[in-house]
Amino acid sequence: MYLEKTLQTIKNVVDKGFEYRDIVLLTRRKTDGVFLANYLTQKNIPILIF
C-alpha cells in the first residue's frame, strides 16, 4: 500500500541524513492528505500541515 511505501521512503531519507523539515509530501486530494497525515502521526512521524 502507498502508506507503507511512503513511510519507508521517509525513514530511508532520514537515515541518509535528511531532516523531517526537508521532506515535502503532496497529494492531489485533500482527503488523501488527511489520510496520509493521520497515518504518519500514528507512526510517530512529525508533520506540519499548510
Side-chain angles (χ1 to χ4, degrees):
M1 184 172 216
Y2 81 93
L3 294 174
E4 294 171 4
K5 181 64 176 169
T6 302
L7 177 62
Q8 188 59 46
T9 301
I10 291 170
K11 289 181 177 181
N12 287 344
V13 297
V14 169
D15 287 345
K16 291 180 181 180
F18 289 90
E19 296 184 25
Y20 289 113
R21 66 180 183 196
D22 298 326
I23 302 168
V24 176
L25 302 174
L26 301 175
T27 59
R28 288 184 182 252
R29 295 179 294 192
K30 183 177 180 178
T31 55
D32 293 338
V34 171
F35 195 68
L36 180 58
N38 289 337
Y39 177 78
L40 294 175
T41 299
Q42 290 174 358
K43 299 297 183 178
N44 298 315
I45 301 296
I47 62 167
L48 180 62
I49 300 173
F50 287 98

